[in-house]
Amino acid sequence: MTCCAKDPKSLKTAPVVAAGLIGGWQIARATGIRPIGGVVLAAAGVLAGRSWLARKGPATTAALSAGYLAAFGLSHPLAKRIGAWPSVLVVTSAITAAAHYLGDRN
């Protein structure tokens, strides 16, 4: 039995990455409990990373994982300049595009 219903090679990770960043932020904001948002962020990252590793190997997995974490980290200072929603959307767009082009395409 596996942890997830989908085969890691068939899972499209761009929507998972978007859900992790936007969903994690919204859950943390709605509950006021930041670690809960972090759990969502981490779960999406692990799920996407599992697929990247199965499909593209360790180098691409490392690069996309670093990009995912960088997007999360950069959203905070960017939010002080342009606002929370625009910041989350900008960083999510960037890493989602990277996940699509580097991780999901054949």
Side-chain angles (χ1 to χ4, degrees):
M1 184 156 210
T2 61
C3 76
C4 304
K6 291 193 87 132
D7 173 41
K9 289 186 178 181
S10 67
L11 178 69
K12 297 297 183 191
T13 62
V16 173
V17 167
L21 287 165
I22 294 172
W25 175 63
Q26 279 297 294
I27 288 172
R29 186 171 178 229
T31 64
I33 304 170
R34 293 177 75 174
I36 293 175
V39 169
V40 172
L41 180 81
V46 168
L47 186 59
R50 177 178 170 257
S51 291
W52 295 328
L53 187 59
R55 192 177 312 125
K56 299 294 182 172
T60 301
T61 301
L64 287 170
S65 296
Y68 183 65
L69 292 174
F72 168 70
L74 290 172
S75 69
H76 293 83
L78 187 59
K80 291 179 182 179
R81 292 186 175 266
I82 65 172
W85 259 120
S87 172
V88 171
L89 293 176
V90 165
V91 300
T92 299
S93 296
I95 191 58
T96 300
H100 171 72
Y101 286 107
L102 300 176
D104 291 345
R105 288 177 47 181
N106 292 330

Coordinates of all heavy atoms in Angstrom, one line a residue:
M1 N 0.8 -1.2 0.0 CA 0.0 0.0 0.0 C 0.9 1.2 0.0 O 1.9 1.3 0.7 CB -0.9 0.0 1.2 CG -1.9 1.1 1.3 SD -3.2 0.5 2.3 CE -4.5 1.4 1.7
T2 N 0.5 2.2 -0.8 CA 1.3 3.4 -0.9 C 0.6 4.6 -0.1 O -0.6 4.5 0.2 CB 1.5 3.9 -2.3 OG1 0.2 4.1 -2.9 CG2 2.2 2.8 -3.1
C3 N 1.4 5.6 0.1 CA 0.8 6.7 0.9 C -0.2 7.6 0.1 O -1.0 8.3 0.7 CB 1.9 7.6 1.4 SG 2.6 8.7 0.1
C4 N -0.1 7.5 -1.1 CA -1.0 8.4 -2.0 C -1.7 7.6 -3.0 O -1.2 6.6 -3.5 CB -0.2 9.5 -2.6 SG 0.7 10.4 -1.4
A5 N -2.9 8.0 -3.4 CA -3.6 7.3 -4.4 C -3.0 7.3 -5.8 O -3.1 6.3 -6.5 CB -5.1 7.8 -4.5
K6 N -2.4 8.4 -6.2 CA -1.8 8.5 -7.5 C -0.4 8.0 -7.5 O 0.4 8.1 -6.6 CB -1.8 9.9 -8.0 CG -3.2 10.4 -8.2 CD -3.2 11.7 -8.9 CE -3.2 11.4 -10.3 NZ -4.0 12.0 -11.3
D7 N 0.0 7.4 -8.7 CA 1.4 7.1 -9.0 C 2.2 8.4 -9.0 O 1.7 9.4 -9.6 CB 1.4 6.4 -10.3 CG 2.8 6.1 -10.8 OD1 3.7 5.8 -9.9 OD2 3.1 6.3 -12.0
P8 N 3.3 8.5 -8.3 CA 4.1 9.7 -8.3 C 4.5 10.2 -9.7 O 4.6 11.4 -9.9 CB 5.3 9.4 -7.5 CG 5.3 8.0 -7.2 CD 4.0 7.4 -7.6
K9 N 4.6 9.3 -10.6 CA 5.0 9.8 -12.0 C 3.9 10.4 -12.7 O 4.1 11.1 -13.7 CB 5.6 8.6 -12.8 CG 7.0 8.2 -12.3 CD 7.5 7.2 -13.2 CE 8.9 6.8 -12.7 NZ 9.6 5.8 -13.6
S10 N 2.6 10.2 -12.3 CA 1.5 10.7 -13.1 C 0.9 12.0 -12.4 O 0.1 12.6 -13.0 CB 0.4 9.6 -13.2 OG -0.1 9.4 -11.9
L11 N 1.3 12.3 -11.2 CA 0.8 13.5 -10.5 C 1.3 14.8 -11.1 O 2.6 14.9 -11.2 CB 1.1 13.4 -9.0 CG 0.7 14.6 -8.2 CD1 -0.8 14.6 -8.1 CD2 1.3 14.5 -6.8
K12 N 0.5 15.7 -11.5 CA 0.9 17.0 -12.0 C 1.2 17.8 -10.7 O 0.3 18.0 -9.9 CB -0.2 17.6 -12.8 CG -0.4 16.9 -14.1 CD 0.8 16.9 -15.0 CE 0.6 16.2 -16.3 NZ 1.8 15.9 -17.0
T13 N 2.4 18.3 -10.6 CA 2.8 19.0 -9.4 C 2.5 20.5 -9.3 O 2.4 21.1 -8.3 CB 4.3 18.8 -9.1 OG1 5.0 19.3 -10.2 CG2 4.6 17.3 -9.0
A14 N 2.3 21.1 -10.5 CA 2.0 22.6 -10.5 C 0.8 22.9 -9.6 O 0.9 23.8 -8.8 CB 1.9 23.1 -11.9
P15 N -0.3 22.2 -9.7 CA -1.5 22.5 -8.9 C -1.2 22.2 -7.4 O -1.7 22.9 -6.5 CB -2.6 21.7 -9.4 CG -2.2 21.1 -10.7 CD -0.7 21.2 -10.8
V16 N -0.4 21.2 -7.1 CA -0.1 20.9 -5.8 C 0.8 22.0 -5.1 O 0.5 22.4 -4.0 CB 0.7 19.5 -5.7 CG1 1.2 19.2 -4.3 CG2 -0.1 18.4 -6.2
V17 N 1.7 22.5 -5.9 CA 2.6 23.6 -5.4 C 1.7 24.8 -5.1 O 1.8 25.5 -4.1 CB 3.7 23.9 -6.4 CG1 4.4 25.2 -6.1 CG2 4.7 22.7 -6.4
A18 N 0.8 25.1 -6.0 CA -0.1 26.3 -5.9 C -1.0 26.1 -4.6 O -1.1 27.0 -3.8 CB -0.9 26.5 -7.1
A19 N -1.5 24.9 -4.5 CA -2.3 24.6 -3.3 C -1.6 24.7 -2.0 O -2.1 25.2 -1.0 CB -3.0 23.3 -3.4
G20 N -0.3 24.3 -2.0 CA 0.5 24.4 -0.8 C 0.8 25.8 -0.4 O 0.7 26.1 0.8
L21 N 1.1 26.7 -1.3 CA 1.4 28.0 -1.0 C 0.2 28.9 -0.7 O 0.1 29.5 0.4 CB 2.2 28.7 -2.1 CG 3.7 28.2 -2.2 CD1 4.3 28.6 -3.5 CD2 4.5 28.8 -1.0
I22 N -0.8 28.8 -1.5 CA -2.0 29.6 -1.3 C -2.8 29.0 -0.2 O -3.3 29.7 0.7 CB -2.8 29.7 -2.6 CG1 -2.1 30.5 -3.6 CG2 -4.2 30.4 -2.3 CD1 -2.7 30.6 -5.0
G23 N -3.0 27.7 -0.2 CA -3.8 27.0 0.8 C -3.1 27.2 2.2 O -3.8 27.4 3.2
G24 N -1.8 27.0 2.3 CA -1.1 27.1 3.6 C -1.3 28.5 4.1 O -1.6 28.7 5.3
W25 N -1.1 29.5 3.3 CA -1.3 30.9 3.7 C -2.7 31.2 4.2 O -2.9 31.8 5.2 CB -0.9 31.8 2.6 CG -1.1 33.3 2.9 CD1 -0.5 34.0 3.9 CD2 -2.0 34.2 2.3 NE1 -1.0 35.3 4.0 CE2 -1.9 35.4 3.0 CE3 -2.9 34.0 1.2 CZ2 -2.7 36.5 2.6 CZ3 -3.6 35.1 0.9 CH2 -3.5 36.3 1.5
Q26 N -3.7 30.7 3.4 CA -5.1 31.0 3.8 C -5.5 30.3 5.1 O -6.2 30.8 5.9 CB -6.0 30.6 2.7 CG -6.1 31.6 1.6 CD -6.7 32.9 2.1 OE1 -7.8 33.0 2.5 NE2 -5.9 34.0 2.1
I27 N -5.0 29.1 5.3 CA -5.3 28.3 6.5 C -4.7 29.0 7.7 O -5.3 29.2 8.7 CB -4.9 26.9 6.4 CG1 -5.9 26.2 5.4 CG2 -4.9 26.2 7.7 CD1 -5.5 24.8 5.1
A28 N -3.4 29.4 7.6 CA -2.7 30.1 8.6 C -3.4 31.4 9.0 O -3.6 31.8 10.1 CB -1.3 30.4 8.3
R29 N -3.9 32.1 7.9 CA -4.5 33.4 8.1 C -5.9 33.2 8.8 O -6.3 33.9 9.7 CB -4.7 34.1 6.8 CG -5.2 35.4 6.8 CD -5.1 36.1 5.4 NE -5.7 37.4 5.5 CZ -6.5 37.8 4.6 NH1 -6.9 37.1 3.6 NH2 -7.0 39.1 4.7
A30 N -6.6 32.2 8.3 CA -8.0 32.0 8.8 C -8.0 31.5 10.2 O -8.9 31.9 11.0 CB -8.8 31.0 7.9
T31 N -7.1 30.6 10.6 CA -7.1 30.1 11.9 C -6.3 30.9 12.9 O -6.5 30.8 14.1 CB -6.5 28.7 11.9 OG1 -5.1 28.7 11.5 CG2 -7.3 27.7 11.0
G32 N -5.3 31.7 12.4 CA -4.4 32.5 13.2 C -3.3 31.6 13.8 O -2.6 32.0 14.7
I33 N -3.2 30.3 13.3 CA -2.2 29.4 13.8 C -1.3 29.1 12.7 O -1.6 28.3 11.8 CB -2.9 28.1 14.3 CG1 -3.9 28.4 15.4 CG2 -1.8 27.1 14.9 CD1 -4.8 27.3 15.8
R34 N -0.2 29.8 12.6 CA 0.8 29.7 11.5 C 1.3 28.2 11.3 O 1.5 27.8 10.2 CB 1.9 30.7 11.7 CG 1.4 32.1 11.6 CD 2.5 33.1 11.8 NE 3.3 33.1 10.6 CZ 4.3 34.0 10.5 NH1 4.6 34.9 11.4 NH2 5.1 34.0 9.4
P35 N 1.6 27.5 12.4 CA 2.1 26.1 12.1 C 1.1 25.2 11.3 O 1.6 24.3 10.6 CB 2.3 25.6 13.5 CG 2.6 26.8 14.4 CD 1.7 27.8 13.8
I36 N -0.2 25.5 11.4 CA -1.1 24.7 10.6 C -0.9 25.0 9.1 O -1.0 24.1 8.3 CB -2.6 24.9 11.1 CG1 -2.8 24.4 12.5 CG2 -3.6 24.3 10.1 CD1 -4.2 24.7 13.0
G37 N -0.7 26.2 8.8 CA -0.4 26.6 7.4 C 0.9 26.0 7.0 O 1.0 25.5 5.9
G38 N 1.8 25.9 7.9 CA 3.1 25.2 7.6 C 3.0 23.7 7.3 O 3.7 23.2 6.5
V39 N 2.0 23.1 8.0 CA 1.8 21.7 7.7 C 1.2 21.5 6.3 O 1.7 20.6 5.6 CB 0.8 21.1 8.8 CG1 0.3 19.7 8.4 CG2 1.4 21.0 10.2
V40 N 0.3 22.4 5.9 CA -0.2 22.3 4.5 C 0.9 22.6 3.5 O 1.1 21.8 2.5 CB -1.3 23.3 4.3 CG1 -1.8 23.4 2.9 CG2 -2.5 23.0 5.2
L41 N 1.7 23.6 3.8 CA 2.9 23.9 2.9 C 3.8 22.7 2.8 O 4.2 22.3 1.7 CB 3.6 25.1 3.5 CG 4.8 25.6 2.7 CD1 4.4 26.4 1.5 CD2 5.8 26.3 3.6
A42 N 4.2 22.1 3.9 CA 5.1 20.9 4.0 C 4.5 19.7 3.3 O 5.2 19.0 2.5 CB 5.5 20.6 5.4
A43 N 3.2 19.4 3.5 CA 2.6 18.3 2.9 C 2.6 18.4 1.4 O 2.9 17.4 0.7 CB 1.2 18.1 3.4
A44 N 2.3 19.6 0.9 CA 2.3 19.8 -0.6 C 3.7 19.7 -1.1 O 3.9 19.1 -2.2 CB 1.7 21.1 -0.9
G45 N 4.7 20.2 -0.4 CA 6.0 20.1 -0.8 C 6.5 18.6 -0.9 O 7.2 18.2 -1.8
V46 N 6.2 17.8 0.1 CA 6.6 16.4 0.1 C 5.9 15.7 -1.0 O 6.5 14.9 -1.7 CB 6.2 15.8 1.5 CG1 6.3 14.3 1.4 CG2 7.1 16.3 2.6
L47 N 4.6 15.9 -1.2 CA 3.9 15.3 -2.3 C 4.5 15.6 -3.7 O 4.7 14.8 -4.5 CB 2.4 15.7 -2.3 CG 1.5 15.0 -3.2 CD1 1.5 13.4 -3.0 CD2 0.1 15.5 -3.1
A48 N 4.8 16.9 -3.9 CA 5.4 17.3 -5.2 C 6.8 16.8 -5.3 O 7.2 16.3 -6.4 CB 5.4 18.9 -5.2
G49 N 7.5 16.8 -4.2 CA 8.9 16.3 -4.2 C 9.0 14.9 -4.6 O 9.9 14.4 -5.3
R50 N 8.0 14.1 -4.1 CA 8.0 12.7 -4.4 C 7.8 12.4 -5.9 O 8.4 11.6 -6.5 CB 6.8 12.1 -3.6 CG 6.5 10.6 -3.8 CD 5.3 10.2 -2.9 NE 4.9 8.9 -3.2 CZ 3.8 8.7 -3.9 NH1 3.0 9.6 -4.3 NH2 3.4 7.4 -4.1
S51 N 6.9 13.2 -6.5 CA 6.7 13.1 -7.9 C 7.9 13.6 -8.7 O 8.3 13.0 -9.7 CB 5.5 13.9 -8.3 OG 4.3 13.3 -7.8
W52 N 8.5 14.7 -8.3 CA 9.7 15.2 -9.0 C 10.8 14.2 -9.0 O 11.5 13.9 -10.0 CB 10.2 16.5 -8.4 CG 9.3 17.7 -8.6 CD1 8.4 17.9 -9.6 CD2 9.1 18.7 -7.7 NE1 7.7 19.0 -9.4 CE2 8.1 19.6 -8.2 CE3 9.7 19.1 -6.4 CZ2 7.7 20.8 -7.6 CZ3 9.2 20.2 -5.8 CH2 8.3 21.1 -6.4
L53 N 11.0 13.6 -7.8 CA 12.1 12.6 -7.7 C 11.8 11.4 -8.6 O 12.7 10.9 -9.3 CB 12.2 12.1 -6.2 CG 13.4 11.2 -5.9 CD1 14.7 11.9 -6.3 CD2 13.4 10.8 -4.5
A54 N 10.6 10.9 -8.6 CA 10.2 9.7 -9.4 C 10.3 10.0 -10.9 O 10.7 9.2 -11.7 CB 8.8 9.3 -9.1
R55 N 10.0 11.3 -11.3 CA 9.9 11.6 -12.7 C 11.2 12.2 -13.3 O 11.6 11.9 -14.4 CB 8.8 12.6 -12.9 CG 8.4 12.8 -14.4 CD 7.2 13.7 -14.6 NE 6.1 13.4 -13.8 CZ 5.5 14.2 -12.9 NH1 5.9 15.5 -12.8 NH2 4.4 13.8 -12.2
K56 N 11.9 13.1 -12.5 CA 13.0 13.9 -13.0 C 14.3 13.6 -12.3 O 15.3 14.1 -12.8 CB 12.6 15.4 -12.9 CG 11.4 15.8 -13.7 CD 11.6 15.6 -15.2 CE 10.4 16.0 -16.0 NZ 10.6 16.1 -17.4
G57 N 14.3 13.0 -11.2 CA 15.6 12.7 -10.5 C 15.9 13.7 -9.4 O 15.3 14.7 -9.2
P58 N 17.1 13.4 -8.7 CA 17.4 14.2 -7.5 C 17.8 15.7 -7.8 O 17.5 16.6 -7.0 CB 18.6 13.5 -6.9 CG 19.1 12.5 -7.9 CD 17.9 12.3 -8.9
A59 N 18.5 15.9 -9.0 CA 18.9 17.3 -9.2 C 17.7 18.3 -9.5 O 17.7 19.3 -8.9 CB 19.8 17.3 -10.4
T60 N 16.8 17.8 -10.3 CA 15.6 18.6 -10.5 C 14.7 18.8 -9.2 O 14.2 19.8 -8.9 CB 14.7 18.1 -11.7 OG1 15.5 18.0 -12.8 CG2 13.5 18.9 -11.9
T61 N 14.7 17.7 -8.5 CA 13.9 17.7 -7.2 C 14.5 18.7 -6.3 O 13.8 19.5 -5.6 CB 13.9 16.3 -6.6 OG1 13.3 15.4 -7.5 CG2 13.2 16.3 -5.2
A62 N 15.9 18.7 -6.2 CA 16.5 19.7 -5.3 C 16.3 21.1 -5.7 O 16.0 22.0 -4.9 CB 18.0 19.4 -5.2
A63 N 16.4 21.4 -7.0 CA 16.2 22.7 -7.6 C 14.8 23.2 -7.3 O 14.5 24.3 -6.9 CB 16.5 22.8 -9.0
L64 N 13.8 22.4 -7.6 CA 12.4 22.8 -7.5 C 12.0 22.9 -6.0 O 11.3 23.8 -5.6 CB 11.4 21.8 -8.2 CG 11.5 21.9 -9.7 CD1 10.7 20.7 -10.3 CD2 10.9 23.2 -10.2
S65 N 12.6 22.0 -5.2 CA 12.3 22.1 -3.7 C 12.9 23.4 -3.2 O 12.2 24.1 -2.3 CB 12.9 20.9 -3.0 OG 12.3 19.7 -3.4
A66 N 14.1 23.8 -3.6 CA 14.7 25.0 -3.2 C 13.9 26.2 -3.6 O 13.7 27.2 -2.9 CB 16.1 25.1 -3.7
G67 N 13.3 26.1 -4.9 CA 12.5 27.2 -5.4 C 11.2 27.3 -4.6 O 10.7 28.4 -4.3
Y68 N 10.6 26.2 -4.2 CA 9.4 26.2 -3.4 C 9.6 26.8 -2.1 O 8.8 27.7 -1.6 CB 8.9 24.7 -3.3 CG 7.6 24.5 -2.5 CD1 6.4 25.0 -3.1 CD2 7.6 23.8 -1.3 CE1 5.2 24.8 -2.4 CE2 6.4 23.6 -0.7 CZ 5.2 24.1 -1.2 OH 4.0 23.9 -0.6
L69 N 10.7 26.5 -1.4 CA 11.0 27.1 -0.1 C 11.4 28.6 -0.3 O 11.0 29.4 0.6 CB 12.2 26.3 0.6 CG 11.8 24.9 1.0 CD1 13.0 24.2 1.5 CD2 10.7 24.9 2.1
A70 N 12.1 28.9 -1.4 CA 12.4 30.3 -1.6 C 11.2 31.1 -1.8 O 11.1 32.3 -1.4 CB 13.4 30.4 -2.8
A71 N 10.2 30.6 -2.6 CA 9.0 31.3 -2.8 C 8.3 31.6 -1.5 O 7.8 32.7 -1.3 CB 8.1 30.4 -3.7
F72 N 8.2 30.6 -0.6 CA 7.6 30.8 0.7 C 8.4 31.9 1.4 O 7.8 32.9 2.0 CB 7.6 29.5 1.5 CG 7.3 29.7 2.9 CD1 6.0 30.0 3.3 CD2 8.3 29.6 3.9 CE1 5.7 30.2 4.7 CE2 8.0 29.7 5.3 CZ 6.7 30.0 5.6
G73 N 9.7 31.8 1.5 CA 10.5 32.8 2.2 C 10.4 34.2 1.6 O 10.3 35.2 2.3
L74 N 10.4 34.3 0.3 CA 10.4 35.6 -0.4 C 9.0 36.3 -0.3 O 8.9 37.5 -0.4 CB 10.8 35.5 -1.8 CG 12.2 35.2 -2.1 CD1 12.5 34.9 -3.6 CD2 13.1 36.3 -1.6
S75 N 8.0 35.5 -0.1 CA 6.6 36.1 0.0 C 6.5 37.0 1.2 O 5.8 38.0 1.1 CB 5.6 35.0 0.1 OG 5.6 34.3 1.3
H76 N 7.3 36.8 2.3 CA 7.1 37.6 3.5 C 7.7 39.0 3.3 O 7.0 40.0 3.5 CB 7.8 36.9 4.6 CG 7.1 35.7 5.0 ND1 7.3 34.5 4.4 CD2 6.1 35.4 6.0 CE1 6.5 33.6 4.9 NE2 5.8 34.1 5.9
P77 N 8.9 39.2 2.8 CA 9.4 40.6 2.6 C 8.7 41.3 1.4 O 8.4 42.5 1.5 CB 10.9 40.4 2.3 CG 11.1 39.0 2.0 CD 10.0 38.2 2.6
L78 N 8.3 40.5 0.4 CA 7.6 41.0 -0.7 C 6.2 41.6 -0.2 O 5.7 42.6 -0.7 CB 7.4 40.0 -1.8 CG 6.8 40.5 -3.1 CD1 7.7 41.6 -3.7 CD2 6.7 39.3 -4.1
A79 N 5.6 40.9 0.7 CA 4.3 41.3 1.2 C 4.3 42.7 1.8 O 3.4 43.5 1.8 CB 3.7 40.3 2.2
K80 N 5.4 43.0 2.4 CA 5.6 44.3 3.1 C 5.6 45.4 2.0 O 5.3 46.6 2.3 CB 6.8 44.4 3.9 CG 6.7 43.5 5.1 CD 8.0 43.5 6.0 CE 7.8 42.6 7.1 NZ 8.9 42.5 8.0
R81 N 6.0 45.1 0.8 CA 6.1 46.1 -0.3 C 4.8 46.2 -1.1 O 4.4 47.3 -1.5 CB 7.3 45.8 -1.2 CG 8.6 45.9 -0.5 CD 9.7 45.7 -1.6 NE 11.0 46.0 -1.0 CZ 11.6 47.2 -1.1 NH1 11.0 48.2 -1.7 NH2 12.8 47.3 -0.5
I82 N 4.2 45.0 -1.4 CA 3.1 45.0 -2.4 C 1.8 44.5 -1.8 O 0.8 44.5 -2.4 CB 3.4 44.3 -3.7 CG1 3.6 42.8 -3.4 CG2 4.6 44.9 -4.4 CD1 3.8 41.9 -4.7
G83 N 1.8 44.0 -0.6 CA 0.6 43.5 0.1 C 0.7 41.9 0.1 O 1.4 41.3 -0.7
A84 N -0.1 41.4 1.0 CA -0.1 39.9 1.2 C -0.6 39.1 0.0 O 0.1 38.2 -0.6 CB -0.9 39.5 2.4
W85 N -1.8 39.4 -0.5 CA -2.4 38.7 -1.7 C -1.5 38.8 -2.9 O -1.1 37.8 -3.5 CB -3.8 39.1 -2.0 CG -4.8 38.2 -1.5 CD1 -5.8 38.6 -0.6 CD2 -5.1 36.9 -1.8 NE1 -6.6 37.5 -0.4 CE2 -6.2 36.4 -1.1 CE3 -4.4 35.9 -2.6 CZ2 -6.7 35.1 -1.1 CZ3 -4.9 34.6 -2.7 CH2 -6.0 34.2 -1.9
P86 N -1.1 40.0 -3.3 CA -0.2 40.1 -4.5 C 1.1 39.3 -4.3 O 1.5 38.7 -5.2 CB 0.0 41.6 -4.6 CG -1.1 42.3 -4.0 CD -1.5 41.3 -2.8
S87 N 1.6 39.4 -3.1 CA 2.9 38.7 -2.9 C 2.7 37.2 -3.0 O 3.5 36.5 -3.7 CB 3.4 39.0 -1.5 OG 4.5 38.2 -1.1
V88 N 1.7 36.7 -2.4 CA 1.5 35.2 -2.5 C 1.2 34.8 -4.0 O 1.7 33.8 -4.4 CB 0.3 34.8 -1.6 CG1 -0.1 33.3 -1.8 CG2 0.7 35.0 -0.1
L89 N 0.5 35.6 -4.7 CA 0.2 35.3 -6.1 C 1.4 35.4 -7.0 O 1.6 34.5 -7.8 CB -0.9 36.2 -6.6 CG -2.3 36.0 -6.0 CD1 -3.3 37.0 -6.5 CD2 -2.8 34.5 -6.2
V90 N 2.3 36.3 -6.7 CA 3.5 36.5 -7.5 C 4.4 35.3 -7.3 O 4.9 34.7 -8.3 CB 4.2 37.8 -7.2 CG1 5.7 37.8 -7.7 CG2 3.5 39.0 -7.7
V91 N 4.7 34.9 -6.0 CA 5.6 33.8 -5.8 C 5.0 32.5 -6.2 O 5.7 31.6 -6.7 CB 6.1 33.8 -4.3 CG1 6.9 35.1 -4.0 CG2 5.1 33.5 -3.3
T92 N 3.7 32.4 -6.0 CA 3.1 31.1 -6.4 C 3.1 31.0 -7.9 O 3.4 29.9 -8.4 CB 1.6 31.1 -5.9 OG1 1.6 31.1 -4.5 CG2 0.9 29.8 -6.3
S93 N 2.9 32.0 -8.6 CA 3.0 32.0 -10.1 C 4.3 31.6 -10.6 O 4.5 30.7 -11.5 CB 2.6 33.3 -10.7 OG 1.3 33.7 -10.4
A94 N 5.4 32.1 -10.0 CA 6.7 31.8 -10.4 C 7.1 30.3 -10.1 O 7.6 29.6 -11.0 CB 7.7 32.7 -9.6
I95 N 6.8 29.8 -9.0 CA 7.2 28.4 -8.7 C 6.2 27.4 -9.4 O 6.7 26.3 -9.7 CB 7.3 28.1 -7.2 CG1 8.0 26.8 -6.9 CG2 6.0 28.2 -6.5 CD1 9.3 26.6 -7.5
T96 N 5.0 27.8 -9.6 CA 4.1 27.0 -10.3 C 4.5 26.8 -11.7 O 4.5 25.7 -12.3 CB 2.6 27.5 -10.2 OG1 2.3 27.5 -8.8 CG2 1.7 26.6 -10.9
A97 N 4.9 27.9 -12.3 CA 5.5 27.8 -13.7 C 6.7 26.9 -13.8 O 6.8 26.1 -14.7 CB 5.8 29.2 -14.2
A98 N 7.6 27.1 -12.8 CA 8.8 26.3 -12.8 C 8.4 24.8 -12.6 O 9.0 23.9 -13.3 CB 9.7 26.7 -11.6
A99 N 7.5 24.5 -11.7 CA 7.1 23.1 -11.5 C 6.5 22.5 -12.8 O 6.7 21.4 -13.1 CB 6.0 23.1 -10.4
H100 N 5.7 23.4 -13.5 CA 5.1 22.9 -14.7 C 6.2 22.6 -15.8 O 6.2 21.5 -16.3 CB 4.1 23.9 -15.3 CG 3.6 23.5 -16.6 ND1 2.8 22.5 -16.9 CD2 3.9 24.1 -17.8 CE1 2.5 22.4 -18.2 NE2 3.2 23.4 -18.8
Y101 N 7.1 23.5 -16.0 CA 8.0 23.4 -17.1 C 9.2 22.4 -16.8 O 9.6 21.7 -17.6 CB 8.6 24.8 -17.5 CG 7.6 25.6 -18.3 CD1 6.9 26.6 -17.7 CD2 7.3 25.2 -19.6 CE1 6.0 27.3 -18.4 CE2 6.3 25.9 -20.3 CZ 5.7 27.0 -19.7 OH 4.7 27.6 -20.4
L102 N 9.6 22.4 -15.5 CA 10.8 21.6 -15.1 C 10.3 20.2 -14.6 O 11.1 19.3 -14.7 CB 11.7 22.3 -14.1 CG 12.3 23.6 -14.6 CD1 13.0 24.3 -13.4 CD2 13.1 23.4 -15.8
G103 N 9.2 20.2 -13.9 CA 8.8 18.9 -13.3 C 7.7 18.2 -13.9 O 7.7 16.9 -13.8
D104 N 6.7 18.8 -14.6 CA 5.6 18.1 -15.1 C 5.6 17.8 -16.5 O 5.0 16.8 -16.9 CB 4.3 19.0 -14.8 CG 4.0 19.1 -13.3 OD1 4.5 18.3 -12.5 OD2 3.2 20.0 -13.0
R105 N 6.3 18.6 -17.3 CA 6.4 18.3 -18.8 C 7.3 17.1 -19.1 O 8.3 16.9 -18.4 CB 6.9 19.5 -19.5 CG 5.8 20.6 -19.5 CD 6.3 21.9 -20.2 NE 6.9 21.6 -21.4 CZ 7.4 22.6 -22.2 NH1 7.4 23.8 -21.8 NH2 8.0 22.3 -23.3
N106 N 6.9 16.4 -20.1 CA 7.8 15.3 -20.5 C 8.9 15.7 -21.4 O 9.0 16.6 -22.0 CB 6.9 14.2 -21.2 CG 6.0 13.6 -20.2 OD1 6.2 13.5 -19.1 ND2 4.8 13.2 -20.7

